[in-house]
Amino acid sequence: QVQLVESGGGLVQAGGSLRLSCAASGGTFSRYAMGWFRQAPGKEREFVATTSWNGGTTYYADYVKGRFTISRDSAKNTVYLQMNSLKPEDTAVYYCAGSLYIDYLRLDSFYDYWGKGTLVTVSS
């Protein structure tokens, strides 16, 4: 059973940066594609970014492309989300997730394991 724990959330002003981390344990980290999703108050959870099992392929939602970067460190069993040029509309709880699939990784239903989330608040 894989456990995922997010950290790094907090309060930041618009235009600022944060780096989220997601530490994995209890499984073989390198087997899993990893993704970040977010859920804003009153809205459904949405896809943010994903990286393949070896970090060789990444995909981003259009609304974060060019501002966010997903990366992974297999030696540390950790996936990161570097968030720059943050906007108030980026305010949400951010979740990391692990998947054994290689396709459909923009869809949360294709992820097997989830963290509990970390709150990011961007003030205007």
Side-chain angles (χ1 to χ4, degrees), residues 3-114:
Q3 290 84 44
L4 301 174
V5 179
E6 303 95 336
S7 61
L11 175 63
V12 63
Q13 288 188 331
S17 298
L18 280 175
R19 188 177 80 156
L20 305 183
S21 300
C22 173
S25 62
T28 304
F29 181 68
S30 60
R31 294 180 60 196
Y32 294 87
M34 299 297 295
W36 286 96
F37 290 76
R38 69 186 185 186
Q39 186 167 19
K43 295 187 177 182
E44 293 189 353
R45 186 164 58 190
E46 62 182 10
F47 168 74
V48 174
T50 187
T51 178
S52 59
W53 64 275
N54 63 355
T57 303
T58 57
Y59 294 103
Y60 298 90
D62 287 344
Y63 35 81
V64 304
K65 197 174 295 183
R67 299 189 297 123
F68 291 10
T69 302
I70 188 171
S71 61
R72 64 191 297 161
D73 185 336
S74 293
K76 296 182 178 180
N77 285 359
T78 300
V79 62
Y80 304 98
L81 186 68
Q82 178 67 44
M83 306 186 296
N84 299 329
S85 302
L86 282 161
K87 305 175 181 180
E89 51 264 44
D90 294 318
T91 295
V93 176
Y94 283 72
Y95 299 90
C96 78
S99 174
L100 289 172
Y101 289 90
I102 58 173
D103 289 316
Y104 308 109
L105 293 175
R106 298 173 186 264
L107 302 177
D108 58 4
S109 58
F110 283 82
Y111 286 80
D112 306 284
Y113 302 102
W114 292 84

